[in-house]
Amino acid sequence: MNKKIKKELLQWIAILGVFLFLFITGLHTEVFGFLQRGIIATGIMNPTIEKNILKEYPPADLSMELLNYEGKKEFGTI
């Protein structure tokens, strides 16, 4: 086997081994969280909201009446 191919194959096996280790131990969630915080902190993925979009859609009316099992109105009580 060619040395270049052998070296590249060993590199891929090492990378896959690290990923497998992270998934088996459950550490992948912490690693992904760390990477996401880094991406957000650098501003690479910083979405911009256009003002035109906000004008097209009015804010939602979230007021509603809650009824209990007897049909009486309840306001924020369980």
Side-chain angles (χ1 to χ4, degrees), residues 2-34:
N2 189 357
K3 283 189 175 186
K4 185 177 181 181
I5 294 173
K6 194 177 211 181
K7 183 178 179 181
E8 189 167 338
L9 184 62
L10 287 174
Q11 289 175 349
W12 277 106
I13 290 172
I15 291 170
L16 292 175
V18 168
F19 282 125
L20 185 64
F21 174 76
L22 290 174
F23 277 102
I24 289 173
T25 59
L27 294 173
H28 65 283
T29 54
E30 295 177 19
V31 172
F32 290 152
F34 180 76

Side-chain angles (χ1 to χ4, degrees), residues 28-47:
H28 65 283
T29 54
E30 295 177 19
V31 172
F32 290 152
F34 180 76
L35 291 174
Q36 287 174 353
R37 275 183 276 148
I39 289 171
I40 290 170
T42 58
I44 292 172
M45 295 182 70
N46 191 7

